[in-house]
């Protein structure tokens, strides 16, 4: 996702989802956007669904990519700060950046037949985490001893390997909106960042 917040920088229906992505493997949704939730009936839930912390990008503690204000009167405003842009894109590769944290967040994605490599560069002192928002049908299994995460859905197994290898992986419960006001339980993955540059690899295994 590389686009501005819309409505000439006012962001009526925009979310803080710069440099987020979705992943479908063999027709099955694995990493997804969690949707809209609701509008005016629950302002807090509305902002949760708009938050950087509920999209598959890098989130920074205490920050949003774009200005997200509390209160019912701000539910259809999202002040443009991030200004995301594509740096380069070609067959099986992508590089983009945004400026919502004051210093650039640069994300590179490389894809081949069996792997997706996601590399992030963000030089910031605050606690930050790459996130993966999962489809409700995806079952996460964390091998704590080897610090490896397996995401399973039917015949698809995705192995998530962080780099550096000692980065902490957390499974966090959340909600997905499959339609307006229609909510289901789902999980997201949070990977702690310790360095200005890091990455994670999604390796695909198809079980016949």
């Amino acid at each position: 996702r590389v686009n501005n917040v819309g409505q000439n920088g006012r962001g009526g229906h925009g979310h803080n989802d710069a440099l987020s992505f979705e992943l479908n493997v063999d027709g099955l949704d694995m990493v997804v956007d969690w949707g809209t939730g609701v509008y005016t009936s629950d302002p807090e839930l509305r902002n949760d669904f708009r938050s950087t912390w509920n999209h598959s990008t890098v989130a920074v503690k205490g920050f949003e990519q774009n200005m997200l204000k509390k209160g019912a009167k701000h539910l259809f405003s999202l002040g443009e700060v991030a200004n995301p842009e594509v740096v380069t894109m070609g067959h099986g590769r992508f590089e983009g950046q945004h400026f919502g944290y004051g210093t650039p967040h640069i994300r590179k994605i490389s894809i081949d037949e069996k792997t997706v490599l996601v590399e992030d560069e963000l030089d910031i002192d605050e606690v930050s985490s790459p996130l993966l928002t999962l489809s409700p049908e995806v079952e996460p299994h964390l091998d704590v001893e080897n610090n490896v995460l397996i995401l399973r859905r039917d015949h698809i197994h995705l192995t998530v390997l962080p780099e550096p290898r000692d980065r902490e992986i957390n499974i966090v419960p959340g909600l997905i909106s499959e339609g307006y006001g229609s909510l289901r339980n789902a999980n997201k993955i949070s990977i702690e960042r310790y360095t200005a540059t890091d990455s994670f690899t999604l390796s695909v295994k198809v079980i016949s």
Side-chain angles (χ1 to χ4, degrees), residues 6 12 27 38 83 85 91 96 108 114 134 154 173 186 203 208:
V38 297
N83 294 305
E85 59 186 30
H91 182 70
K108 300 176 183 179
K114 293 294 184 181
L134 305 179
D154 296 345
S203 300
S208 58

Side-chain angles (χ1 to χ4, degrees), residues 74-162:
H74 299 296
L75 291 181
F76 294 93
S77 65
L78 190 66
E80 182 75 74
V81 177
N83 294 305
E85 59 186 30
V86 175
V87 176
T88 185
M89 184 166 57
H91 182 70
R93 60 184 178 84
F94 162 86
E95 180 179 346
Q97 61 184 353
H98 77 80
F99 306 90
Y101 303 133
T103 186
H105 170 207
I106 300 170
R107 169 162 277 189
K108 300 176 183 179
I109 299 177
S110 304
I111 303 172
D112 62 25
E113 186 177 357
K114 293 294 184 181
T115 62
V116 179
L117 171 63
V118 181
E119 301 173 279
D120 289 300
E121 179 180 336
L122 177 61
D123 192 0
I124 195 167
D125 291 333
E126 286 76 9
V127 174
S128 57
S129 303
L131 305 169
L132 295 171
T133 50
L134 305 179
S135 168
E137 288 76 18
V138 174
E139 299 178 0
H141 300 270
L142 181 59
D143 179 347
V144 177
E145 182 177 353
N146 296 303
N147 203 38
V148 173
L149 179 72
I150 307 296
L151 305 177
R152 298 175 181 168
R153 181 176 180 181
D154 296 345
H155 61 291
I156 302 298
H157 290 189
L158 280 180
T159 302
V160 183
L161 290 177

Side-chain angles (χ1 to χ4, degrees), residues 29-44:
D29 290 332
M30 303 295 289
V31 179
V32 298
D33 186 284
W34 274 2
T36 296
V38 297
Y39 290 141
T40 57
S41 62
D42 191 333
E44 185 175 352

